[in-house]
Amino acid sequence: MTIEDQQTDIDKIRQQYDFLPYPESDIELLPANPELLFIHSLTTPYYLRYQKVVNTKDKIILDAGCGSGMQALVLALANPGAKIIGVDISEKSIELARQRFAYHQFNNAEFYACSLDDIQSLGYQFDYINCDEVLYLLPNPGEMLQKFQSLLTPDGIIRANLHNYYQRIEYYRNQELFKFLNILDNESTENAIEVVKETVESLKDNIRMRAYYQDFQNVKLKSSDPTSKAKKMDEWVMVNYLLRGDKGYNFNQLFDFLELANLDFLSMVNWRHWDIAELFQEPNNLPLFWQLGLESATEAEKLHLFELMQPIHRLMDFWCVQKNEQTFPLSPINWERDLLLNCLVHLHPVLQIAAIKSNVLTAISQRQEFEFSKYIKLPTLTTVTVDSTLIACLLPLWDSPQPFMKLVNRWLTIQPLSPDTLEPKTEEQGILEVSELLTKLETFSYILLEQT
C-alpha cells in the first residue's frame, strides 16, 4: 500500500467516525460495572506482572483512539487519581469526549484531535496505554506498538487488541464484496450504510450474509427506542461491512509484532477463555499426545492452537510490557511459608465498593454463599462462591488491606472449633484454611497477595 493509499484510508476512517462517533452512547451514562472496571484497572495487569498493588494516583494513562470518550471515562473511574490523555483522529468524537468528561466533572483529563503518530509531540511518558479496537485499522500494527513502547515508562503496561482473522473471516469476505462494488468510494458513509442494509435485507433467509445481519438484529438490539436501535444498527453495519483498514491477524503475527516492538507478552485480557485444555472433555486428563505437546508448547503456540480449533473470539485482547530482566513472580500457591505468613492481603479495588460490601453483610447475616463471579466473570469459567463464615473472615478487606495473620486470627475467632472433633483449632489449622481460601481467590484476581 502506498503512502497516498494509507492517507486515503485514514481520511475515510476519520469521515466514518465523524459521521458515527464510536461508541454511540448517551453523555449521561456512567459505566460503573465492576467487570468493565476490572478490565480497565491498571491494578489488574500490574499485579499479574509485578505481584504488587499499584497506587494509580498521578499515573498518566493514554487512551489511544479514544472515540467518544466512553472508555476514557471507564479508565478514569477504574484508576482513581490518574490523569487521562485521550487521542483520536475524529474531531467530532473528541468533542463528545470533552462533553462527557465535563458532564461527569472529571477534570484531570486532556483530549486531542490528532493522529496516533503525533502522540510523541504531547510530551508525556505513559504508565498505561489503552489502545482498544484501533490497532487492526492501522497499516502496520507492529510499528505502532514500537511507538507506544517508546512512550512507556519502565514498568508501564500496554493493553491492545487485534481482530482475529479466523473468527472474522465471514465479515472480511463481505467487506471484499462492498469494496469490489466501490460502495465507499462512490457513496457517502450514510448512503453506503443504506446500500448495505438494502442489499442484505433483500437476500433470501438462507444466505449466510443475511444470517449474521439477522442475528445482530434479533439478539443485540435490545433497546426499545427506535432512534437508538437505528443508530446501533448503522454503527454495526459500518464496523462490520464498511470499515476502512479493517484487517485480521493470527497469534503468530501478534507475537511477531511484539518482538518487533521489543515488548513482552503478559497475558490475554480474558485469559481463562483462551485455555486450550478447556476445549477437551476432560481438561485434567488429556490424550497423551496433547498432554506431552502442551507441556513443552510456548504461550504463542498454545494460543495459535486455540484459534485454529475454536475461533470464537473476535478480539485477540492482550496486555504487554517492556522487555526487562525481571523474572515473572511465582504464584502465591508456590510461595514459601514465610512469604505467605508475612504478606499483605488486598481486595481488588473495583470490588471495594459499598454496594458489594452490603451484599457481603447480607450473605453473612442470612448464612448464604457469596458469589464473587456475579460481579466479575472474566477470570473464571465457573461460578466462584465462598460460604458465609469464610466471607465473614474477609470482611475487613472491604475497609483496608489486612496482614495475613490478622485474617487467620479473625478466622480462629469466627470458627474456633474443628467441626468433626469439636476440639479447638490450632494456629496451624487456621493458617492452612485461610491460605487455601486466599490462594483460591487470588487465582481469579479477586484477592491480591502482596509480599511485604
Side-chain angles (χ1 to χ4, degrees):
M1 181 182 287
T2 67
I3 294 176
E4 290 77 11
D5 289 337
Q6 290 180 15
Q7 188 58 48
T8 298
D9 266 352
I10 291 170
D11 290 341
K12 285 288 186 180
I13 292 169
R14 180 187 294 109
Q15 290 170 19
Q16 287 181 324
Y17 286 115
D18 278 341
F19 173 71
L20 273 177
Y22 182 85
E24 189 279 317
S25 57
D26 294 334
I27 295 292
E28 297 84 358
L29 182 64
L30 190 65
N33 176 284
E35 179 153 295
L36 196 60
L37 299 178
F38 179 86
I39 293 169
H40 289 81
S41 172
L42 176 56
T43 298
T44 307
Y46 197 91
Y47 179 79
L48 291 175
R49 176 61 185 93
Y50 301 108
Q51 210 136 56
K52 294 180 181 177
V53 179
V54 65
N55 181 357
T56 57
K57 185 175 176 8
D58 297 327
K59 296 296 185 184
I60 301 178
I61 296 176
L62 171 67
D63 194 12
C66 65
S68 62
M70 178 58 80
Q71 285 204 57
L73 185 59
V74 178
L75 287 164
L77 288 166
N79 299 283
K83 184 181 187 68
I84 308 298
I85 308 296
V87 171
D88 199 276
I89 59 172
S90 165
E91 292 185 6
K92 177 65 174 175
S93 296
I94 289 295
E95 179 185 333
L96 287 171
R98 288 173 179 150
Q99 291 174 11
R100 192 183 303 279
F101 269 64
Y103 179 86
H104 292 287
Q105 299 182 335
F106 279 92
N107 302 317
N108 197 14
E110 298 172 9
F111 292 96
Y112 300 92
C114 67
S115 165
L116 297 186
D117 289 324
D118 298 328
I119 294 173
Q120 193 166 5
S121 66
L122 302 179
Y124 288 106
Q125 290 290 115
F126 299 100
D127 300 288
Y128 189 49
I129 295 176
N130 182 70
C131 184
D132 190 20
E133 305 274 8
V134 173
L135 210 55
Y136 55 75
L137 299 177
L138 305 179
N140 193 320
E143 290 182 3
M144 183 51 64
L145 286 172
Q146 271 187 313
K147 289 185 173 69
F148 288 157
Q149 186 271 342
S150 70
L151 298 171
L152 204 60
T153 58
D155 61 349
I157 295 175
I158 297 170
R159 179 217 170 182
N161 40 57
L162 293 166
H163 268 156
N164 185 268
Y165 173 78
Y166 300 109
Q167 190 277 341
R168 203 161 160 76
I169 190 168
E170 295 274 358
Y171 293 109
Y172 294 131
R173 190 172 63 247
N174 296 337
Q175 289 177 16
E176 193 64 31
L177 167 67
F178 292 111
K179 285 178 186 175
F180 180 73
L181 295 173
N182 293 321
I183 297 300
L184 268 179
D185 291 332
N186 296 331
E187 304 284 347
S188 68
T189 299
E190 184 176 12
N191 289 341
I193 289 172
E194 289 307 312
V195 169
V196 172
K197 290 162 67 176
E198 185 179 55
T199 299
V200 178
E201 289 169 3
S202 67
L203 295 173
K204 293 179 179 179
D205 287 342
N206 64 341
I207 304 302
R208 294 177 69 164
M209 181 186 288
R210 182 173 172 84
Y212 285 93
Y213 185 91
Q214 285 180 314
D215 284 348
F216 181 79
Q217 281 186 313
N218 297 337
V219 177
K220 300 294 185 181
L221 293 183
K222 298 178 181 178
S223 172
S224 58
D225 177 15
T227 303
S228 177
K229 288 177 71 171
K231 282 185 178 179
K232 287 184 181 300
M233 193 71 233
D234 286 354
E235 182 182 272
W236 185 82
V237 167
M238 186 184 82
V239 300
N240 287 294
Y241 292 99
L242 298 170
L243 192 56
R244 296 294 290 239
D246 185 12
K247 293 180 290 297
Y249 298 91
N250 61 43
F251 276 102
N252 292 330
Q253 293 168 303
L254 168 55
F255 278 78
D256 284 344
F257 293 148
L258 294 177
E259 187 63 30
L260 174 69
N262 201 33
L263 292 165
D264 274 335
F265 175 79
L266 173 57
S267 169
M268 301 305 290
V269 172
N270 54 340
W271 64 92
R272 298 276 172 201
H273 301 263
W274 286 97
D275 186 351
I276 188 169
E278 292 294 334
L279 301 182
F280 291 85
Q281 293 180 28
E282 297 182 56
N284 296 320
N285 186 29
L286 299 178
L288 184 60
F289 172 85
W290 283 94
Q291 183 179 337
L292 296 175
L294 292 180
E295 283 177 0
S296 60
T298 65
E299 193 67 30
E301 288 168 342
K302 292 176 185 177
L303 290 166
H304 185 51
L305 287 169
F306 187 104
E307 69 182 345
L308 292 173
M309 294 177 74
Q310 180 73 334
I312 58 172
H313 300 305
R314 177 178 68 88
L315 285 178
M316 299 185 291
D317 200 359
F318 62 94
W319 287 303
C320 57
V321 296
Q322 298 272 28
K323 279 187 179 293
N324 59 51
E325 299 302 318
Q326 184 176 346
T327 59
F328 280 70
L330 279 175
S331 167
I333 202 169
N334 297 316
W335 281 3
E336 294 181 3
R337 176 186 171 86
D338 285 350
L339 287 178
L340 190 61
L341 297 188
N342 293 295
C343 77
L344 191 62
V345 183
H346 299 255
L347 183 70
H348 195 293
V350 304
L351 291 169
Q352 204 168 7
I353 59 176
I356 296 179
K357 182 179 180 181
S358 176
N359 292 339
V360 170
L361 291 169
T362 299
I364 294 169
S365 65
Q366 297 183 4
R367 298 176 182 254
Q368 298 172 339
E369 288 188 330
F370 177 78
E371 183 186 342
F372 277 92
S373 52
K374 175 181 177 181
Y375 305 97
I376 303 173
K377 296 179 181 177
L378 187 81
T380 177
L381 299 175
T382 59
T383 301
V384 180
T385 60
V386 173
D387 73 34
S388 58
T389 53
L390 286 169
I391 199 64
C393 173
L394 302 183
L395 183 60
L397 297 177
W398 266 267
D399 296 321
S400 64
Q402 301 290 313
F404 176 85
M405 286 306 299
K406 190 171 182 179
L407 292 180
V408 171
N409 293 333
R410 179 179 173 86
W411 174 239
L412 291 174
T413 302
I414 293 170
Q415 196 173 76
L417 303 180
S418 297
D420 52 347
T421 65
L422 297 184
E423 294 292 324
K425 287 183 179 178
T426 65
E427 184 180 79
E428 193 59 37
Q429 283 177 292
I431 289 171
L432 178 62
E433 290 168 354
V434 171
S435 65
E436 287 178 349
L437 171 64
L438 294 179
T439 53
K440 168 191 171 182
L441 295 177
E442 192 273 345
T443 301
F444 306 107
S445 296
Y446 300 141
I447 293 294
L448 311 177
L449 303 180
E450 187 175 33
Q451 297 179 18
T452 56

